[in-house]
Amino acid sequence: MKDEHATEAQDWVGAPTAVPLGRLDVSRIRERNRKKRLARLFVFLLVPFFYLVYRQFTNPIQLPHISPQLLLVLPMLFMMMLFMGYALYLLFTTRSPHVLVRPEDIEVGLDEVRGLDTQVGEVQRTLDVFLGYASYREQLGGNPRRAVLLEGPPGTGKTYLAKATAKSASVPFLFISGPAFQTFWQGMSAMRIRSYFRTLRKLARRDGGAIGFIEEIDAIGSSRMGVAGASPERLTSDGQPGGHGPVVSRFMGSGDSGLINELLIQMQSFDQPRFFRRMRNRFVEWMNGFLPREKRMKVGKPEYHNILVFAATNRADMLDAALLRPGRFDQRLYFDPPTRRSRRELIDFFLDRRSHHEQLDREEIRDQLARDTLGYTPVMIEHLTDEALLVGIKNGRRTMNIEDIYEAKLNEEIGLKQPVVYTDGEREAIATHEAGHATVAHFLGKDRKLEVLSIIKRRSSLGVLTHGDTEERFTRTRSEIEALIAIALGGMVAEEEFLGESGTGPASDLAAATELATHMVGSLGMAGSLISYDAMIDGPLSTKNLTGKVLSDADGKARVEQILEAQRSRAREVLTERRQVIEALRDALVERDELVGGEITDVIEAALAIRAAEGSEGEEGQIRMGPPDPS
């Protein structure tokens, strides 16, 4: 059967036409399940049918006689059934909606995690204490970590690492999302939280330990200082409402404060005794009320529950401060996008599990991919390899190559190609605009590499220039940021120089340049002032946007305008001096639509070579036209 499926897959891979119905796994499985449903329905109806036929011939069925008194009771019975159904609904609503994942159901453990060396090492130490909690508590006198917060951008491996931890720990893993705790009924959400932690304690007693994972915990753990509404009012001199003092805004907490309160209690109450132990303790306390102090019975210590809770969020700044203190979340692990070395490990991991051309096994190719995927998260790298494999299938191959990966990368970052027919004037204007960007980037950009120069429409962009750092960088200097502003303004300047005026194309470029300039002014201290607009307190009447803060200030706006004008002058100076380069790039784009990697630099170097040759010929002509030799 497996060989048959592989043959079917081989038949349709790369087929230029639509796949015939019934040849794919989805159609085959759907047809098989349809036949099973028909068979079950046939059996379900056939048995009662033969039974009724048998009864009709042996002992005909007589309809029962219904008394009028029973008809009066039926509505009451119906109402009671509705009430019982509603009670059962409320009972099941209060149950925890978690998903129990067994260790054998998880494919990857901590040993197979790639690109998260720092986080894996710290989680491994936490897990070692979790598994040896009795020795750590009784012999060393320490308290094991009870909860770990995983924070970072989406797709950086938070959930993946938590599942791998459950696999390596070989204990039950209870997965739940924060919004799943929320219900329509008042108070039911808090009951779900109690049910979730009660289940964790039960599993920990049975299996020696349990791990809980709460995805998007900010949905139930947001700060209780959040604003649901604000009402401005004046205060008196002693701070009381009313009077003619300063205007303040009185904040009202959101309706979800009960959720965070219940979560705080449960995070602190892992060792809550069981029901029968609580009853015994109450009985002992009642008995101690009749006994003298020296003869009172001791109440046993609460049973320790070996529970470890992981929670993930990409908005840790929204969480309540009481939730983040030690004793609740004892540790916070931040997940950054992987470094170049980590990206190389991830590329090796994903490529080795997918069908690929032998060229992708070369070390220099994989190192190049690691350099060119700067800023990619593990999920993005995995998705890139999947998309590249689809590109290879679309081109009639069963393996992906390096060209497929870069085409998939371009499709993901910029968008799919859209077949749009430009007018001759638009085509020349767009090509001139993009050539201006590329020229400024080549001559002013510091350690920049030109990746793609295109006039093919993708998403909302009529043309695009993609460029990146030659090496992985984590900081920027003032000159580098100024170069990025000049590159952004290069397209508009090229239109003004070669077409006489600019069109609507530079709109997004101006937005990007303005944002960079406002960061120089308001956050980085690179515009003659050391005042940081980020230090402004955000309130109900102020904006959280740095660009808005800077541009709303007259002095800040003037500094931004000064930076933009200076960089436009730099871009104009470069483009005026390198007209041959812009013309060469423009003509190449008009002819080929898109230039990739070395094709861009080849056009630039060819234009510079022609210019150098013309300059040498001009100098030689001037020498020959000089005064005759006196001899």
Side-chain angles (χ1 to χ4, degrees):
M1 182 65 68
K2 184 176 180 180
D3 295 337
E4 178 184 350
H5 296 166
T7 304
E8 289 185 2
Q10 187 174 5
D11 291 339
W12 68 261
V13 168
T17 58
V19 180
L21 186 63
R23 300 288 298 280
L24 290 179
D25 293 338
V26 173
S27 300
R28 175 172 49 81
I29 294 173
R30 184 187 297 124
E31 181 65 19
R32 183 187 63 190
N33 292 336
R34 185 184 68 85
K35 292 179 180 179
K36 286 184 178 180
R37 286 194 297 268
L38 288 176
R40 287 194 295 266
L41 180 63
F42 178 76
V43 173
F44 178 77
L45 296 179
L46 191 63
V47 173
F49 174 75
F50 281 115
Y51 174 75
L52 292 177
V53 171
Y54 171 76
R55 284 290 306 272
Q56 187 65 28
F57 286 102
T58 57
N59 185 16
I61 301 174
Q62 300 292 333
L63 296 177
H65 175 71
I66 302 177
S67 63
Q69 291 82 2
L70 183 60
L71 294 177
L72 296 176
V73 178
L74 286 178
M76 297 180 60
L77 293 175
F78 180 72
M79 295 298 296
M80 291 179 61
M81 292 177 61
L82 287 180
F83 178 77
M84 293 177 61
Y86 180 69
L88 290 174
Y89 167 76
L90 293 181
L91 177 63
F92 283 103
T93 301
T94 59
R95 298 182 59 186
S96 172
H98 63 263
V99 177
L100 176 60
V101 182
R102 295 290 178 182
E104 55 270 16
D105 297 331
I106 305 175
E107 297 180 357
V108 179
L110 288 176
D111 295 337
E112 289 81 22
V113 175
R114 297 292 183 270
L116 298 172
D117 295 341
T118 302
Q119 292 83 357
V120 168
E122 196 60 39
V123 168
Q124 187 64 61
R125 284 186 287 272
T126 301
L127 187 59
D128 291 340
V129 176
F130 172 76
L131 296 177
Y133 73 97
S135 300
Y136 187 77
R137 282 168 50 86
E138 297 171 4
Q139 299 179 13
L140 303 181
N143 294 317
R145 290 172 179 166
R146 308 306 300 268
V148 178
L149 180 65
L150 312 178
E151 55 176 312
T156 48
K158 300 183 292 294
T159 305
Y160 189 77
L161 180 60
K163 289 185 178 180
T165 304
K167 173 72 172 181
S168 300
S170 298
V171 296
F173 180 83
L174 269 65
F175 174 86
I176 193 171
S177 64
F181 284 115
Q182 299 174 340
T183 63
F184 174 78
W185 306 102
Q186 180 72 20
M188 293 297 180
S189 300
M191 295 180 68
R192 283 189 171 185
I193 294 177
R194 287 196 292 271
S195 176
Y196 177 75
F197 282 92
R198 184 166 55 248
T199 306
L200 274 176
R201 289 191 291 269
K202 178 181 177 181
L203 292 175
R205 289 193 301 267
R206 188 187 67 186
D207 296 334
I211 294 179
F213 181 73
I214 305 176
E215 182 73 279
E216 305 296 342
I217 192 175
D218 50 276
I220 60 173
S222 296
S223 175
R224 288 166 291 184
M225 296 301 292
V227 180
S231 57
E233 59 180 346
R234 291 189 178 274
L235 301 181
T236 60
S237 57
D238 56 354
Q240 299 299 321
H244 303 282
V247 177
V248 299
S249 294
R250 196 169 292 276
F251 301 101
M252 296 177 289
S254 64
D256 292 336
S257 59
L259 289 177
I260 179 62
N261 291 335
E262 184 62 38
L263 183 61
L264 293 174
I265 294 173
Q266 293 299 323
M267 292 288 292
Q268 197 67 28
S269 305
F270 283 175
D271 300 333
Q272 181 180 359
R274 284 182 279 180
F275 175 77
F276 291 106
R277 193 175 186 87
R278 292 199 301 270
M279 294 298 101
R280 175 185 175 279
N281 291 342
R282 290 181 183 178
F283 177 77
V284 170
E285 291 174 357
W286 180 75
M287 289 292 297
N288 288 338
F290 299 97
L291 299 175
R293 181 178 298 274
E294 62 275 4
K295 294 184 178 182
R296 288 182 180 180
M297 295 181 290
K298 294 183 179 181
V299 179
K301 294 182 179 180
E303 181 182 359
Y304 180 82
H305 295 91
N306 190 29
I307 294 174
L308 180 61
V309 175
F310 286 92
T313 179
N314 47 31
R315 293 300 308 272
D317 57 312
M318 295 179 58
L319 297 180
D320 193 88
L323 192 64
L324 300 177
R325 72 162 177 81
R328 292 196 174 102
F329 280 105
D330 300 292
Q331 187 183 40
R332 297 173 63 176
L333 288 180
Y334 188 80
F335 287 67
D336 278 312
T339 61
R340 178 177 170 180
R341 184 175 64 85
S342 299
R343 293 197 302 273
R344 172 59 197 271
E345 293 180 359
L346 290 167
I347 289 172
D348 292 339
F349 180 80
F350 294 126
L351 285 182
D352 292 344
R353 285 158 176 76
R354 286 160 177 79
S355 177
H356 60 273
H357 192 272
E358 59 183 8
Q359 69 175 158
L360 289 176
D361 292 328
R362 293 159 51 186
E363 294 293 324
E364 61 271 18
I365 293 295
R366 295 196 175 190
D367 288 339
Q368 178 185 346
L369 287 175
R371 288 194 302 268
D372 294 341
T373 51
L374 175 64
Y376 273 52
T377 64
V379 172
M380 294 172 65
I381 294 176
E382 181 182 16
H383 180 67
L384 179 63
T385 57
D386 290 334
E387 290 297 315
L389 193 57
L390 288 177
V391 172
I393 292 174
K394 182 183 68 174
N395 294 330
R397 289 176 278 103
R398 302 193 67 206
T399 60
M400 61 175 151
N401 54 32
I402 187 65
E403 290 79 12
D404 298 332
I405 293 180
Y406 278 100
E407 182 176 348
K409 183 174 181 289
L410 197 61
N411 292 339
E412 291 298 311
E413 294 179 356
I414 307 176
L416 296 173
K417 298 179 180 179
Q418 302 181 28
V420 176
V421 179
Y422 299 126
T423 64
D424 293 339
E426 284 181 327
R427 191 176 183 83
E428 182 180 358
I430 297 171
T432 302
H433 180 99
E434 301 305 331
H437 284 309
T439 303
V440 178
H442 181 76
F443 291 103
L444 291 185
K446 293 188 176 182
D447 297 325
R448 313 294 296 175
K449 60 177 179 179
L450 306 182
E451 298 173 349
V452 178
L453 183 63
S454 173
I455 60 172
I456 299 175
K457 188 179 186 305
R458 296 174 184 267
R459 295 179 185 165
S460 59
S461 300
L462 300 179
V464 66
L465 166 70
T466 63
H467 56 97
D469 296 309
T470 56
E471 296 292 338
E472 189 167 11
R473 298 285 305 278
F474 298 96
T475 60
R476 298 281 182 200
T477 63
R478 174 176 176 172
S479 59
E480 290 172 341
I481 298 177
E482 289 176 341
L484 292 177
I485 297 175
I487 294 171
L489 299 176
M492 182 183 68
V493 174
E495 291 185 29
E496 294 173 348
E497 289 293 318
F498 285 83
L499 304 177
E501 60 180 353
S502 62
T504 58
S508 59
D509 299 331
L510 290 175
T514 302
E515 185 174 0
L516 287 172
T518 52
H519 275 76
M520 291 179 64
V521 173
S523 180
L524 305 177
M526 295 181 177
S529 174
L530 299 180
I531 296 176
S532 174
Y533 288 75
D534 281 331
M536 295 176 61
I537 299 177
D538 293 318
L541 302 180
S542 67
T543 175
K544 296 179 181 294
N545 186 290
L546 177 63
T547 302
K549 291 178 181 179
V550 174
L551 297 183
S552 61
D553 178 67
D555 182 64
K557 183 177 180 180
R559 293 176 185 272
V560 170
E561 187 71 31
Q562 183 179 2
I563 293 174
L564 295 177
E565 286 292 344
Q567 298 312 311
R568 182 169 71 165
S569 299
R570 286 184 68 198
R572 191 182 305 278
E573 184 178 328
V574 170
L575 296 182
T576 302
E577 185 179 353
R578 306 307 201 290
R579 295 183 66 90
Q580 295 92 337
V581 175
I582 300 179
E583 292 171 351
L585 289 172
R586 178 197 63 194
D587 296 341
L589 283 175
V590 170
E591 179 183 356
R592 290 184 271 175
D593 289 339
E594 191 170 82
L595 303 175
V596 179
E599 296 176 350
I600 306 174
T601 54
D602 290 343
V603 173
I604 295 175
E605 290 173 358
L608 292 176
I610 294 174
R611 177 183 176 182
E614 292 176 352
S616 62
E617 290 177 0
E619 292 177 359
E620 183 179 353
Q622 290 180 1
I623 294 175
R624 290 177 180 177
M625 292 173 60
D629 190 352
S631 61

